[in-house]
Amino acid sequence: MSSEPVAVVGIGQTHHAAARRDVSLAGLVREAAARALEDAALDWSDIEAVVIGKAPDFFEGVMMPELYLADALGAAGKPVLRVHTAGSVGGSTALVAANLVAARVHTTVLTLAFEKQSESNAMWALSLPVPFQQPLLAGAGGFFAPHIRAYIRRTGAPEGIGTLVAHKDRRNALKNPYAHLHEHGLTLEKVRSSPMLWDPVRYSETCPSSDGACAMVLTGRAGAARAPHPPAWLHGGAMRSEPTLFAGKDFVSPRAGRDCAADVYRQAGITDPRREIDVAEMYVPFSWYEPMWLENLGFAAEGEGWKLTESGATALDGDLPVNPSGGVLSTNPIGASGMLRFAEAALQVRGRAGEHQVPGARRALGHAYGGGAQFFSMWLVGAAPPTT
Amino acid sequence: MTPRDVAVVAFARSGHHEPADGLSEAEMLLPVLHDALDQAGLAPGEADFTCSGSSDYLAGRPFSFTLALDGVGAWPPIAESHVEMDGAWALYEAWVKILTGQAGTALVYAHGKPSSGDLRDVLTRQLDPYYLAPLWPDPACLAALQTRALLDAGLIDEAALLTDEAAPVPSADGHPSGTPHAPGARAATDGAAAVVLAAGATARRMCTRPAWIRGIDHRIESHALGLRDLTDSPSTRLAAERAGAFDAPVDTAELHTADAAQEAVLRRALRLDGTVTVNPSGGTPATDPVMAAGLIRLGEAAARIHRGASDRALAHATSGPCLQQNLVAVLEGEPAGHPGAEPEGART
């Protein structure tokens, strides 16, 4: 018995900022959810179940906050699932919600992810005390910078590649009214001369800390037929995990990422991602991760990702735009960052991305990763319903 | 209604009441995972899908669940997910995954190590962060509210409550292990649990008498205690209805409760009369490891079906203050003499 095709019929996100002092946690999630419902022309009563995700509860200091958020999410009397798969959680949450529709357990599901970093200190929440981690490994950048250096050494990439990515993504964010950072007048030189945080990652090449939420309404064939705007159809989705540390782990191009992409492409019938995918929203929290993921996801051969970035192919007017929304480098409510990638990919194939729309986008990839580059979740969405 | 038949084919849990001093979560989990996988005849990493439930707040560090993955054998990489919920909800996610057809087998596990901190303080962080958590009402305070509401409504009587709470609670091996405590104040222990799910013919191959999941549903209520009738559990009743619990009588019920008052609420919501054997596992849900306690109820109900001691069992899991969120599963074993060799998908 084949599963129900899954359609994204509603997408909403908050205006993201360093501190959304105007809203509580409940107000933040409700803002995103209300926009998604409005986009789908549905009411709270049309939602059968809620699947919510966020990164560690320590970020806000609320244990299992979905319990407290049940009222804000209109969930009383409904099922609520709470997903936590580290940084990939926004993507994983959407996939868990999609499965409820695919399995025909529910017909219409609200999925939502959030983070309110201003009520927390993610830098130190991510700096584990000894003996779990060596001291002075401050923040995620301290963990990932050595892997970026390994990439540069392995591929011989010139040092300016990260600067290009940061400049591109921050310029793209100027076209996205919801993005956290709107750096008018940003130049390559300004990125290049910003302070060094974790060699080779400079201040302007790292993601901000944001307050924000993202929500989507997922439904099946009948729901899609009733939707007022074109849906995005799920053509493939997968999650893969591998341990944090082990002998032989390739931090530069983790096998879990490659396997996850291969699974998604197989489901979607993609054999040449570079030609068949029109736009990608990838989880790039540090500039250099764009060329690294281009290789890991099969858009470029091993060692060639930086050349794709350098050629301008990943710019908004290139032939493979990457992160037209401005990406994680411009907006980073950690738990929601993955869902924003998934949602922005869906917006592109729905033709509803506004000023950062890639003309004629038919197939888009949403990508998220987390933990020690060990948790991956991805989906491929299309403007046309799946044929199988 | 389900397009595929899915069963619990294996269940394992760590020993009762042993603080896991000096053990990491992965070390606590490893023997339990191996026990469950061995029962199902699966090698580590061989299940099509893996899903777990735990809470960072017990370990006192973010991403604690990522280290538990070391005990799973996630190499080559595996299709895996995690809920920041009791493992019963991890089982639900895995069940849905199997229903989609994307997986035929799933490993589900959960672990909790409350000895790492003061659980009574930790659980207050679960409450509304703006209006309730600053008052630090611990589980005993909230349990007292619920118990008082039940006493006032005449739904329980004080004498029975005292008897129940003060009586030594027999553990699975028959030794008394409980000590008298105020409602909701019994100390939870460290531990882990694991379950293997499988669909159709695979389940029959792995287990002589699979515990077929005839339905699972879960529902949440408002977080605000003042908006709820603490003497009732409408979410449990609705979940039970949706899971088909009232379609036919059950012979067994495994209930995840913190105290006698909650058991009284659940017995009423689930319409359990004297004919139903409640918590025959001898477990003491109140002292089972936090985050694994609900999965243990499901596992114990399944194990009873595996052994032939039950034909139709209800399993319940809860989360949040005063039974805020509830999951109900209905499990069935096939009658003796059932051909048991139908091809997968033949049953609908």
Side-chain angles (χ1 to χ4, degrees):
Chain A
M1 180 174 181
S2 68
S3 57
E4 178 72 19
V6 179
V8 185
V9 294
I11 295 174
Q13 60 183 298
T14 59
H15 286 281
H16 308 283
R20 283 293 306 271
R21 294 205 173 84
D22 57 321
V23 285
S24 61
L25 292 173
L28 190 75
V29 297
R30 204 163 167 93
E31 184 177 314
R35 287 206 176 105
L37 288 171
E38 189 188 343
D39 185 17
L42 294 176
D43 200 353
W44 292 96
S45 59
D46 298 311
I47 298 299
E48 289 177 21
V50 179
V51 184
I52 185 168
K54 73 175 297 297
D57 295 358
F58 280 92
F59 283 3
E60 290 86 4
V62 186
M63 179 183 182
M64 300 158 72
E66 63 283 357
L67 294 167
Y68 142 69
L69 291 170
D71 300 88
L73 294 168
K78 298 175 186 177
V80 172
L81 270 173
R82 156 71 196 289
V83 182
H84 175 15
T85 61
S88 67
V89 64
S92 311
T93 303
L95 292 175
V96 172
N99 279 347
L100 288 171
V101 175
R104 298 191 176 89
V105 172
H106 295 295
T107 54
T108 304
V109 177
L110 173 70
T111 186
L112 186 143
F114 76 97
E115 205 75 61
K116 202 161 192 299
Q117 291 214 54
S118 68
E119 297 193 17
S120 69
N121 189 326
M123 169 81 169
W124 295 112
L126 284 171
S127 304
L128 308 185
V130 284
F132 305 113
Q133 193 169 290
Q134 61 269 48
L136 301 177
L137 199 65
F143 185 87
F144 290 110
H147 311 317
I148 295 173
R149 292 199 294 277
Y151 173 77
I152 293 170
R153 198 161 301 133
R154 197 186 281 186
T155 62
E159 60 178 291
I161 299 299
T163 314
L164 295 176
V165 175
H167 181 254
K168 166 184 70 82
D169 283 5
R170 295 267 165 95
R171 298 289 300 172
N172 287 350
L174 294 174
K175 298 176 184 295
N176 177 1
Y178 293 105
H180 171 180
L181 296 179
H182 289 121
E183 296 188 318
H184 298 276
L186 185 74
T187 61
L188 276 172
E189 187 44 41
K190 281 184 183 167
V191 176
R192 214 175 282 134
S193 57
S194 66
M196 184 65 79
L197 293 184
W198 306 277
D199 189 14
V201 179
R202 292 180 182 276
Y203 179 77
S204 290
E205 294 178 66
T206 189
C207 52
S209 285
S210 314
D211 286 0
C214 178
M216 291 189 281
V217 177
L218 309 182
T219 187
R221 222 190 283 271
R226 282 194 299 269
H229 304 294
W233 292 96
L234 180 58
H235 288 235
M239 288 149 73
R240 283 293 183 286
S241 309
E242 65 184 45
T244 316
L245 297 163
F246 58 97
K249 166 138 180 161
D250 185 355
F251 272 106
V252 172
S253 186
R255 178 165 165 193
R258 282 185 277 130
D259 288 3
C260 189
D263 191 356
V264 169
Y265 298 156
R266 182 190 52 76
Q267 292 172 41
I270 299 276
T271 52
D272 183 351
R274 173 83 167 85
R275 308 223 174 287
E276 294 173 79
I277 294 173
D278 302 316
V279 50
E281 282 279 345
M282 296 177 194
Y283 203 107
V284 178
F286 306 102
S287 59
W288 279 91
Y289 267 87
E290 176 178 299
M292 289 165 73
W293 293 142
L294 284 170
E295 295 174 28
N296 190 248
L297 296 171
F299 290 109
E302 207 177 311
E304 307 281 316
W306 63 268
K307 293 177 186 167
L308 206 56
T309 295
E310 191 179 45
S311 74
T314 60
L316 193 47
D317 58 358
D319 63 28
L320 178 68
V322 173
N323 294 330
S325 67
V328 182
L329 281 172
S330 306
T331 305
N332 185 35
I334 297 180
S337 290
M339 191 172 287
L340 284 166
R341 307 282 69 72
F342 277 44
E344 288 286 352
L347 281 174
Q348 289 289 345
V349 299
R350 297 176 73 205
R352 291 175 63 77
E355 250 197 283
H356 63 281
Q357 177 70 45
V358 173
R362 302 282 299 166
R363 285 194 205 86
L365 180 73
H367 160 271
Y369 88 104
Q374 64 183 123
F375 299 108
F376 292 84
S377 59
M378 303 172 200
W379 80 4
L380 196 130
V381 284
T387 47
T388 49
Chain B
M1 287 296 286
T2 58
R4 294 184 95 182
D5 268 1
V6 182
V8 178
V9 296
F11 166 61
R13 60 175 294 183
S14 42
H16 300 263
H17 318 306
E18 293 158 12
D21 286 344
L23 290 183
S24 71
E25 277 93 341
E27 289 168 325
M28 202 168 69
L29 261 172
L30 195 64
V32 175
L33 293 175
H34 277 271
D35 187 354
L37 291 171
D38 285 349
Q39 288 175 40
L42 284 172
E46 199 183 342
D48 296 335
F49 184 60
T50 301
C51 197
S52 64
S54 69
S55 168
D56 282 347
Y57 255 84
L58 299 180
R61 61 172 192 274
F63 300 121
S64 62
F65 71 94
T66 66
L67 301 174
L69 203 56
D70 287 346
V72 174
W75 187 262
I78 58 171
E80 189 259 353
S81 185
H82 171 261
V83 293
E84 195 83 351
M85 308 178 83
D86 186 286
W89 278 267
L91 184 150
Y92 180 86
E93 182 182 330
W95 172 73
V96 172
K97 180 92 173 176
I98 293 175
L99 290 186
T100 66
Q102 298 167 37
T105 55
L107 171 66
V108 177
Y109 65 90
H111 58 89
K113 202 170 168 247
S115 68
S116 299
D118 183 337
L119 188 62
R120 297 179 66 168
D121 279 351
V122 169
L123 287 175
T124 66
R125 301 303 86 197
Q126 215 177 49
L127 305 170
D128 178 327
Y130 304 106
Y131 294 109
L132 200 49
L135 304 174
W136 295 82
D138 69 17
C141 297
L142 301 178
L145 284 176
Q146 189 162 32
T147 305
R148 172 48 59 195
L150 284 156
L151 286 168
D152 290 349
L155 292 167
I156 54 172
D157 70 78
E158 209 147 347
L161 194 65
L162 284 171
T163 310
D164 184 90
E165 277 299 314
V169 183
S171 66
D173 56 9
H175 297 296
S177 59
T179 47
H181 282 294
R186 287 187 280 192
T189 51
D190 299 339
V195 151
V196 175
L197 301 182
T202 309
R204 292 175 205 284
R205 203 165 55 242
M206 289 176 163
C207 182
T208 48
R209 195 171 192 246
W212 297 104
I213 299 170
R214 293 303 182 216
I216 312 190
D217 195 86
H218 60 100
R219 302 280 152 169
I220 201 166
E221 294 177 37
S222 171
H223 183 67
L225 295 177
L227 293 178
R228 291 171 48 196
D229 174 2
L230 296 182
T231 67
D232 193 12
S233 184
S235 57
T236 300
R237 191 179 298 110
L238 183 55
E241 264 168 34
R242 307 289 295 226
F246 303 133
D247 297 350
V250 297
D251 56 49
T252 302
E254 287 281 353
L255 306 181
H256 177 193
T257 58
D259 52 49
Q262 291 191 352
E263 187 176 318
V265 172
L266 291 175
R267 276 177 179 270
R268 233 159 44 90
L270 294 168
R271 302 177 207 160
L272 302 178
D273 58 24
T275 66
V276 180
T277 313
V278 174
N279 289 0
S281 61
T284 53
T287 58
D288 276 343
V290 184
M291 310 314 285
L295 181 63
I296 288 173
R297 293 303 102 202
L298 279 128
E300 292 284 7
R304 199 165 160 84
I305 288 170
H306 296 162
R307 291 193 300 270
S310 168
D311 293 325
R312 183 172 155 91
L314 178 152
H316 159 266
T318 194
S319 177
C322 299
L323 301 169
Q324 186 195 347
Q325 188 178 22
N326 295 283
L327 177 147
V328 173
V330 177
L331 306 172
E332 276 182 9
E334 277 151 0
H338 187 276
E342 294 165 85
E344 184 169 344
R347 299 175 55 86
T348 51

